[in-house]
Amino acid sequence: MKVGIAADHGGFELKETLRDFLANLGHEVVDFGAHAYESTDDYPDKIIPLAQAVSKKEIERGVAVCGSGVGAAIVANKIPGVRAALINDHFSAHQGVEDDDMNLICLGGRITGNRVAEEFVQTFLDAKFSGAERHLRRLNKVIELEK
Ligand code: RB5
C-alpha cells in the first residue's frame, strides 16, 4: 500500500520508527517530514501536506504523529475527504476504518510506545471499510458537510 507519514517534533522519533516498520512490511512509504528533529516546528506545517495527499488520493492512507496526536487530528480533519482520528486502542484502529472509513490515523509520540503504535498502524492498514448500508448512510451525512 502507498502510505504517507508525517510528524512534528513531538512525534518525530515515533515517525522515524514507524516509517522503517512500514517499509519493512513492504509498503511504499512517502515521508512528508519532518526530515530532521526541529524543536520549534509546528504540526500544521507537517500534517497539512500529508492530509492533502490523502484527500487527492495520491496516497491511500496516512499516519500523522504529534506529541499527543490531538493537534494532528484537528488539523487533518480540516481537509475535505480526510477522516482522521486519534487512536489509543486496538479496537478503534480497525473499527474506525470498518465503520467510518477512517483514512488517516493520528498517534501521540509522547503517549504511545513504539511497539504498540506499530500494532495500531498495522491494524489500521489491514482494516477495510465494510461498505454496509448503515455505514454508507452515516458516511454520506459526514461527506455532505464538506459540500
Ligand atoms: C508540540 O509541543 C505539541 O503541542 C504537539 O506535538 C502536539 O501534541 C499537539 O497536539
Side-chain angles (χ1 to χ4, degrees):
M1 190 182 288
K2 193 168 179 182
V3 181
I5 193 162
D8 72 349
H9 59 281
F12 180 74
E13 207 179 306
L14 179 55
K15 190 263 292 176
E16 296 289 288
T17 298
L18 290 174
R19 187 192 56 218
D20 294 347
F21 173 71
L22 290 169
N24 285 335
L25 285 179
H27 294 290
E28 182 184 350
V29 186
V30 182
D31 188 345
F32 289 83
H35 298 294
Y37 179 80
E38 173 50 65
S39 64
T40 58
D41 66 7
D42 299 329
Y43 66 83
D45 297 333
K46 310 302 172 192
I47 308 303
I48 290 170
L50 166 70
Q52 288 172 330
V54 170
S55 176
K56 290 183 207 155
K57 300 191 192 303
E58 293 168 357
I59 52 176
E60 290 173 66
R61 302 255 178 108
V63 179
V65 194
C66 65
S68 63
V70 172
I74 289 172
V75 73
N77 278 313
K78 299 291 184 193
I79 309 298
V82 172
R83 292 175 291 278
L86 169 57
I87 296 300
N88 284 315
D89 68 275
H90 180 269
F91 174 77
S92 301
H94 63 86
Q95 194 255 10
V97 178
E98 291 157 359
D99 289 14
D100 310 315
D101 206 15
M102 173 172 66
N103 52 18
L104 198 153
I105 188 172
C106 301
L107 298 164
R110 295 170 179 156
I111 307 297
T112 306
N114 289 356
R115 186 68 197 105
V116 173
E118 287 171 357
E119 291 210 14
F120 289 168
V121 168
Q122 188 164 8
T123 299
F124 161 67
L125 295 179
D126 286 346
K128 290 180 179 53
F129 180 54
S130 74
E133 191 281 330
R134 67 187 185 286
H135 296 313
L136 273 172
R137 184 179 72 236
R138 293 161 190 160
L139 183 59
N140 284 331
K141 291 179 182 183
V142 175
I143 291 168
E144 273 302 307
L145 280 174
E146 296 178 337
K147 292 182 182 163

